[in-house]
Amino acid sequence: MQKKTMTKLSVLLLAATTVLSACGSNNNNSKAGNTGGNTAASQSPDAAATDAKKEVSFSIGYAAGDPATKKAIAATVEAFMKVSPNVKIKDISETTSSAYLDWLKTKDAVGEFPDLVEMRDTEVFADAGKIVELPSDLLELFKDPPQVKGKVWNAPMSVNVPQGIIYSKKAYADAGITELPKTYDEFITIQDKLKTSGITPIVVGGKDIFHMGFWVNKFLIDDVYTKDPDWNSKRTAKTVSFTDPNVVQAMTDFKDLFTNYVDKGWLSTGDNQTASILVSGKAAQLFSGTWMFSQIKEADPNFEFGFYAVPDREGKVNVIGLPSPAGWSLSAEAAKDAGKTQAIKDFIRFFFAPEQYAAYLASINAIPSTKEKVIYETGEQMQAALDLIADPNVTKSLAINNWWGDNLIPPQFRNWYYKLLQDLVVKNGDVAGYMKQADTEYDAQVKANAQ
Amino acid sequence: MATAVTRIDKPLTAAIPKKKKKWQSYALLFILPSFLIYTLFVIVPTAGSIYLSFTSWDGISEDVRYIGFANFVEIWQSPRVHNALKNTLVMTVSLVLLENIAAIMLAVLVDKVRWFRNLFRSIFYFPTLLSGIVMGFVWAMILNYNFGVFNQILDAIGLGSWVVDWLGNPKYAMISIILSTVWKGAGYYMIIYLAGLQGIPAELNEAASIDGASGFQQFRHITFPLLAGSMTVCLVLSMISALKIFDQIAVMTDGGPGFETETLTYIIYKVGFGELRQGFGTALAMVLFLIIMLITVIQVKFLRKREVQM
């Protein structure tokens, strides 16, 4: 009797253990059609074509912090699944309070790295073997896709757009501002006029760490990167320093602007609240990119606003606008599955087809990266941004973390640096002292990453 | 005589181990699933973490390099970690004190109140049902500088000069997190204290009352000492929970402004996931584990001694 009971219990335990083991199995390996081999994406066999109607599913992940971008990509995914009913795309993107890299890393840690992923830290993930090269037959779609170590890893979703001041025309008129600034000093004079008129000059969504980068990089580009595009690599080699006069000047301007003209609630304001604050008349200006235009129009279709790039002290205009290695990338795991790879390639072609791509670009006011001409309607503000990109006198540059190759900074440095600058402003710190801390941390991170 | 005793004892001692053995087999079988799960999900990852803390693993690549004690040396020297440790200790001491004081006050109040006793218990307990993330979002909205109801109320009642960025100002960010966490946590400890209060014989207070002791004197000399058992539990639980605080910080301040509210648990997540330094993050986690263990052992030893004295 006892033996029988023991046997029953043993069977029960065995069953429970089996169920638990099944729960823990890697879902990446459970999909039908997984070859389990190590074939690269570019080697997708013809067998995939013969299996064209076979059910295929893949996951997609992208930075969903901007509602307009999320809406635009979700619409393209929906449209693709309608024309390709055998393909199921699982959108695993989430709007989180974390930075996109944090989210992506977390997904990787739990074994849910997206099959098709919007990649921003391309070099880091390529080095880690998480993504594969863009399939060679897709390269023909793009004008000049950026390369990392001689290889193209991304299908660039758009060209980097310039960032600048989005201003309320009413607030400018009320403050008696009739002309846009030609130098940085004139820009500051405008801030004083706005302040005197009783409105908060600038709203900043500093709660989201990426938003800090808009202003930080404006000053870094003016004083550092336009003069020396290889500054990052020199910093890594310790031949330049954050305590150099040009960097200290840039950060002093940053600190002065934030201390005197930025909304007092900037550190608890999220990026997605800035449009509301602008259209409600609580603030007169927002420094951001062209993707905000549609958000602002959605918040108040009658709100009248303009866009311009803030000039430097010498009157030169410098904006973000160089290409950088970012865009859709195929995960190394997905590339092992020929059917999945083919479906992803089909999706990428669909995404960049003019009729789809135009809708995507129009909804987020982006600039096409494709060879094929894409026509879509733009407003007055977007035209100003396009003029900046087309103007040869406007210097194009990149944000501190968007450089690559020798100019790649330690991936963890950007957020730390932006937080240091928050600290600098709220504690009214000494700029040179804080930049000394930046040097120490940068060197420590370079050293840690070299281990 | 001694032989007789042996004769009587022999059959008894032979029968008990047999019965024990049978039950031990069952007991082991029942323990086995929990033991397996615990080993799989706690012991194995912990052992793995010890190894990872000696590596420079970035968390995504397969390149896991052994770097000896380099991570621990960096922890020892890093001003950012020192700042996080300071914030963690400030937050822990404040939370342990405030949560327990608030919980005792609420428990006494709910114990004494004659009407709507269950309603009050439910109201005070309700915040503990919210997750830290939900609670964080709620308070972030309430305390928002531009749209938050708290600043709007201050403005409406003529205290516009008190309006500040509660989560963006370094003077108030930490306090805001502490107070909102007390709001969430006090109800849970209140229930434990309430159970302790209800275990105190009413005759003691009645006798003290007859002897002329005031309400405060009764609380000071009867209620408070007899709550020692509940207090041990609450102090240990609130201390561990405070040392591990994460959700509220992630949602309300992201460790900011600057590094003002960055705690050890938060920095572990930030460096491990956001900054691609899993090895360093794991080393920090090991340090936090040791700190929690050390403080808990000291605390339990002290509080148990106090319980015996009481």
Side-chain angles (χ1 to χ4, degrees):
Chain A
M1 181 66 189
Q2 191 190 335
K3 198 177 173 187
K4 202 174 171 186
T5 316
M6 291 289 280
T7 314
K8 276 183 185 172
L9 276 168
S10 306
V11 170
L12 190 71
L13 278 170
L14 188 66
T17 317
T18 314
V19 170
L20 281 169
S21 315
C23 291
S25 71
N26 189 344
N27 58 4
N28 286 335
N29 298 330
S30 62
K31 307 262 167 61
N34 191 343
T35 59
N38 289 319
T39 48
S42 53
Q43 293 172 308
S44 63
D46 293 338
T50 57
D51 280 2
K53 294 297 170 194
K54 196 177 159 187
E55 287 282 326
V56 183
S57 73
F58 67 85
S59 59
I60 186 170
Y62 49 89
D66 171 39
T69 308
K70 185 172 170 59
K71 204 171 155 186
I73 297 177
T76 310
V77 167
E78 188 97 349
F80 178 74
M81 287 198 290
K82 265 186 191 161
V83 297
S84 309
N86 62 314
V87 181
K88 295 276 172 286
I89 303 179
K90 191 181 171 195
D91 188 342
I92 58 170
S93 307
E94 291 163 19
T95 308
T96 67
S97 57
S98 313
Y100 181 59
L101 177 63
D102 295 17
W103 176 80
L104 204 54
K105 177 78 191 340
T106 313
K107 283 284 162 196
D108 180 46
V110 296
E112 292 176 8
F113 192 74
D115 296 320
L116 179 62
V117 57
E118 181 189 352
M119 188 46 65
R120 293 177 172 184
D121 299 273
T122 300
E123 196 163 343
V124 174
F125 282 85
D127 286 347
K130 291 286 163 190
I131 55 172
V132 294
E133 282 180 65
L134 192 69
S136 53
D137 53 326
L138 291 178
L139 293 177
E140 62 183 24
L141 294 175
F142 307 102
K143 253 184 255 168
D144 194 13
Q147 298 182 352
V148 175
K149 294 173 184 168
K151 294 171 181 173
V152 178
W153 302 86
N154 323 99
M157 292 160 82
S158 60
V159 167
N160 280 329
V161 289
Q163 292 166 8
I165 284 286
I166 301 169
Y167 66 96
S168 158
K169 287 186 175 176
K170 182 179 177 299
Y172 268 43
D174 290 349
I177 302 157
T178 50
E179 268 191 51
L180 297 182
K182 292 186 184 68
T183 64
Y184 185 71
D185 293 331
E186 283 183 22
F187 173 73
I188 292 297
T189 308
I190 286 176
Q191 305 315 303
D192 285 326
K193 281 184 181 173
L194 287 166
K195 211 172 166 181
T196 311
S197 76
I199 193 168
T200 301
I202 302 166
V203 57
V204 168
K207 191 183 174 190
D208 291 311
I209 200 74
F210 69 89
H211 191 112
M212 292 296 301
F214 302 159
W215 273 115
V216 174
N217 287 299
K218 182 261 174 301
F219 292 113
L220 282 179
I221 287 171
D222 282 351
D223 290 317
V224 181
Y225 294 126
T226 51
K227 291 161 180 85
D228 187 356
D230 291 321
W231 190 87
N232 284 357
S233 62
K234 290 178 183 168
R235 180 63 206 73
T236 305
K238 298 185 188 177
T239 55
V240 293
S241 161
F242 280 98
T243 56
D244 289 347
N246 58 337
V247 188
V248 171
Q249 180 62 57
M251 293 305 103
T252 304
D253 287 342
F254 166 83
K255 184 191 161 194
D256 290 347
L257 188 88
F258 270 62
T259 307
N260 297 315
Y261 305 112
V262 167
D263 173 44
K264 283 191 172 62
W266 65 281
L267 274 160
S268 64
T269 302
D271 177 77
N272 60 3
Q273 292 173 325
T274 53
S276 305
I277 292 174
L278 185 69
V279 301
S280 69
K282 283 183 179 171
Q285 308 157 106
L286 162 68
F287 189 89
S288 192
T290 55
W291 60 87
M292 287 303 293
F293 299 160
S294 44
Q295 278 189 51
I296 291 167
K297 280 176 188 159
E298 207 166 280
D300 182 359
N302 299 318
F303 181 72
E304 289 189 21
F305 64 100
F307 176 80
Y308 65 85
V310 182
D312 67 12
R313 284 210 163 73
E314 295 158 13
K316 289 178 188 162
V317 176
N318 317 300
V319 294
I320 284 178
L322 287 177
S324 62
W328 292 123
S329 287
L330 186 58
S331 81
E333 197 61 36
K336 292 174 185 170
D337 184 329
K340 207 179 257 191
T341 303
Q342 187 58 46
I344 290 173
K345 280 163 64 175
D346 291 345
F347 174 77
I348 290 176
R349 284 189 181 281
F350 182 83
F351 183 89
F352 290 102
E355 57 275 21
Q356 298 299 328
Y357 195 38
Y360 167 76
L361 295 169
S363 62
I364 61 162
N365 288 287
I367 300 169
S369 60
T370 50
K371 273 184 195 162
E372 196 168 352
K373 207 171 180 181
V374 181
I375 297 164
Y376 60 96
E377 209 176 310
T378 57
E380 160 209 337
Q381 305 84 8
M382 189 60 199
Q383 194 50 55
L386 291 171
D387 291 345
L388 285 169
I389 288 291
D391 188 345
N393 295 319
V394 172
T395 308
K396 317 295 185 305
S397 187
L398 283 174
I400 186 170
N401 60 311
N402 286 346
W403 302 90
W404 69 96
D406 291 340
N407 284 311
L408 182 76
I409 61 167
Q412 64 269 36
F413 184 74
R414 184 198 81 156
N415 287 0
W416 181 89
Y417 187 58
Y418 292 173
K419 274 184 165 281
L420 181 80
L421 296 175
Q422 287 183 345
D423 210 49
L424 168 75
V425 175
V426 296
K427 288 185 179 164
N428 191 23
D430 167 51
V431 177
Y434 272 73
M435 290 305 103
K436 209 172 172 182
Q437 285 182 48
D439 270 337
T440 309
E441 181 69 17
Y442 192 97
D443 292 338
Q445 293 188 5
V446 169
K447 190 182 160 195
N449 291 348
Q451 281 173 340
Chain B
M1 188 67 186
T3 318
V5 171
T6 313
R7 267 187 206 153
I8 292 164
D9 282 354
K10 208 173 181 182
L12 278 175
T13 46
I16 291 167
K18 200 177 175 188
K19 204 174 178 184
K20 255 190 180 175
K21 205 176 172 187
K22 181 184 166 190
W23 280 107
Q24 270 177 356
S25 309
Y26 284 122
L28 279 174
L29 270 175
F30 280 107
I31 290 168
L32 193 64
S34 304
F35 177 74
L36 284 176
I37 291 171
Y38 189 77
T39 306
L40 196 65
F41 294 105
V42 179
I43 306 289
V44 173
T46 306
S49 296
I50 293 171
Y51 169 66
L52 285 177
S53 66
F54 291 97
T55 69
S56 62
W57 188 41
D58 63 4
I60 53 171
S61 69
E62 285 169 12
D63 184 14
V64 184
R65 271 183 239 170
Y66 176 77
I67 54 167
F69 284 89
N71 285 331
F72 294 95
V73 172
E74 192 181 335
I75 288 170
W76 184 255
Q77 294 171 342
S78 164
R80 189 182 177 188
V81 174
H82 298 165
N83 174 63
L85 182 63
K86 185 202 83 188
N87 290 341
T88 306
L89 293 177
V90 168
M91 213 170 263
T92 303
V93 171
S94 311
L95 279 174
V96 169
L97 285 177
L98 293 176
E99 277 183 334
N100 282 280
I101 290 170
I104 292 173
M105 285 167 70
L106 289 176
V108 171
L109 202 71
V110 168
D111 194 43
K112 298 271 184 223
V113 78
R114 289 183 183 180
W115 297 288
F116 306 115
R117 182 179 289 196
N118 288 336
L119 178 73
F120 283 121
R121 280 185 198 183
S122 306
I123 288 172
F124 296 141
Y125 186 72
F126 173 73
T128 66
L129 300 175
L130 298 175
S131 76
I133 295 284
V134 172
M135 183 282 262
F137 274 118
V138 169
W139 278 99
M141 279 193 276
I142 291 171
L143 298 174
N144 184 282
Y145 179 79
N146 283 299
F147 304 108
V149 71
F150 192 66
N151 277 348
Q152 284 176 11
I153 290 171
L154 286 177
D155 218 14
I157 59 173
L159 296 173
S161 58
W162 289 20
V163 168
V164 290
D165 188 0
W166 299 100
L167 299 174
N169 187 316
K171 281 185 198 161
Y172 304 108
M174 177 79 88
I175 296 168
S176 300
I177 289 176
I178 290 170
L179 292 181
S180 55
T181 308
V182 169
W183 174 82
K184 179 184 167 357
Y188 178 75
Y189 303 111
M190 174 196 78
I191 296 293
I192 298 173
Y193 283 119
L194 197 55
L197 281 176
Q198 286 171 353
I200 299 172
E203 302 86 56
L204 291 176
N205 280 317
E206 279 170 20
S209 182
I210 291 164
D211 288 344
S214 67
F216 178 75
Q217 283 172 324
Q218 286 176 42
F219 177 78
R220 166 76 183 81
H221 297 288
I222 300 170
T223 311
F224 190 70
L226 289 174
L227 278 178
S230 306
M231 198 171 281
T232 303
V233 174
C234 289
L235 287 178
V236 172
L237 288 180
S238 58
M239 192 274 301
I240 293 174
S241 145
L243 281 171
K244 295 196 301 182
I245 188 168
F246 176 84
D247 304 2
Q248 294 90 320
I249 293 169
V251 175
M252 290 170 76
T253 60
D254 190 26
F259 307 97
E260 286 297 312
T261 56
E262 210 169 57
T263 57
L264 279 179
T265 41
Y266 200 61
I267 208 175
I268 287 168
Y269 166 74
K270 289 307 271 187
V271 298
F273 286 89
E275 301 179 5
L276 299 167
R277 299 190 66 197
Q278 201 79 46
F280 183 68
T282 313
L284 266 171
M286 297 312 297
V287 171
L288 180 64
F289 169 71
L290 291 174
I291 290 173
I292 291 180
M293 200 169 71
L294 188 73
I295 296 178
T296 309
V297 167
I298 294 169
Q299 201 180 22
V300 170
K301 211 168 177 182
F302 171 76
L303 291 171
R304 287 274 181 236
K305 204 175 159 189
R306 182 175 164 270
E307 271 180 55
V308 173
Q309 284 169 351
M310 293 282 184

